[in-house]
Amino acid sequence: MDSETGTKTRIELIRGDITKLQVDAIVNAANSSLLGGGGVDGAIHRAAGPELLEECRTLNGCDTGDAKITKGYRLPAKYVIHAVGPRWRGGGQREPELLASAYRRCLEVANVNNVKTIAFPNISTGIYGFPKEPAAEIAIREVRRFLEQHPEIEKVIFVTFDRENYELYRRKLNVS
Ligand code: ADP
């Protein structure tokens, strides 16, 4: 166990498709319109069905660094938490701070909705171009910090899709 908090045993790493996971909530790497896009966003909307877009239309978008929750519809997950990470613009536009905020906001929104198990994709590291190594460091730091303060969250799963992210997380989480 990690010190006395047990954060290590509450963090899991998998490689695969986040839309298949049966957890309380999966996180979507959305854009600020919340009206769908490519990458994991497109996959989530396809798997959840058109009702997801209908609910998203009622939300009036979402700021970068923030997150909003919807139901999961046809997904095995009960909820989708739509997070808007920053687009990488060279690193001088508060991108690290905004990415950290997106992770934190997901966890806060999860907590107020009584979510106990939550799965994250690697927000901003696809189309948005955030360098993968610092993105992984930020994600892991924010999740560990939140878990230390919130024993009510039972499990956080990092879902990596590409090999590079999987290897990075494996190394940084020190798992095999
Ligand atoms: P962003 O615009 O925030 O960069 P992307 O969807 O382009 O969002 O990419 C975010 C991450 O999600 C990338 O690492 C990408 O490989 C990954 N990804 C794409 N499809 C899936 C999926 N079905 N399940 C999990 N992760 C996925």
Side-chain angles (χ1 to χ4, degrees):
M1 247 194 222
D2 256 3
S3 61
E4 275 150 77
T5 60
T7 64
K8 190 153 193 174
T9 58
R10 289 149 70 205
I11 296 177
E12 236 176 69
L13 171 64
I14 64 167
R15 186 168 174 206
D17 180 356
I18 201 167
T19 67
K20 308 287 189 215
L21 296 187
Q22 197 168 355
V23 285
D24 294 338
I26 63 170
V27 171
N28 182 14
N31 58 53
S32 56
S33 76
L34 298 186
L35 299 180
V40 71
D41 196 2
I44 288 173
H45 276 274
R46 277 193 300 278
E51 297 97 330
L52 178 61
L53 183 58
E54 261 170 57
E55 185 175 356
C56 283
R57 283 191 208 286
T58 69
L59 298 177
N60 294 314
C62 182
D63 291 336
T64 303
D66 198 3
K68 291 188 178 179
I69 193 165
T70 66
K71 289 185 279 192
Y73 299 98
R74 299 177 202 177
L75 290 165
K78 185 170 181 207
Y79 298 110
V80 179
I81 299 174
H82 305 264
V84 184
R87 190 185 292 275
W88 182 258
R89 293 195 167 92
Q93 308 285 315
R94 299 168 53 235
E95 294 95 331
E97 190 185 320
L98 289 165
L99 185 62
S101 167
Y103 276 93
R104 272 200 307 277
R105 287 291 302 137
C106 286
L107 292 160
E108 287 166 5
V109 167
N111 220 23
V112 299
N113 286 279
N114 213 23
V115 165
K116 306 290 182 205
T117 55
I118 178 170
F120 282 94
N122 306 133
I123 300 171
S124 287
T125 69
I127 297 160
Y128 278 8
F130 201 115
K132 289 176 182 173
E133 182 155 12
E137 282 165 3
I138 290 165
I140 292 167
R141 182 192 73 209
E142 293 302 327
V143 164
R144 280 188 175 146
R145 222 177 247 170
F146 197 89
L147 286 180
E148 277 167 16
Q149 292 158 3
H150 296 275
E152 62 277 18
I153 302 258
E154 290 168 10
K155 179 124 327 214
V156 174
I157 305 173
F158 287 115
V159 184
T160 55
F161 199 63
D162 54 277
R163 171 168 278 283
E164 190 185 347
N165 267 320
Y166 179 69
E167 295 300 336
L168 265 169
Y169 274 79
R170 211 161 58 102
R171 192 150 42 79
K172 293 192 186 294
L173 288 168
N174 214 1
V175 293
S176 49

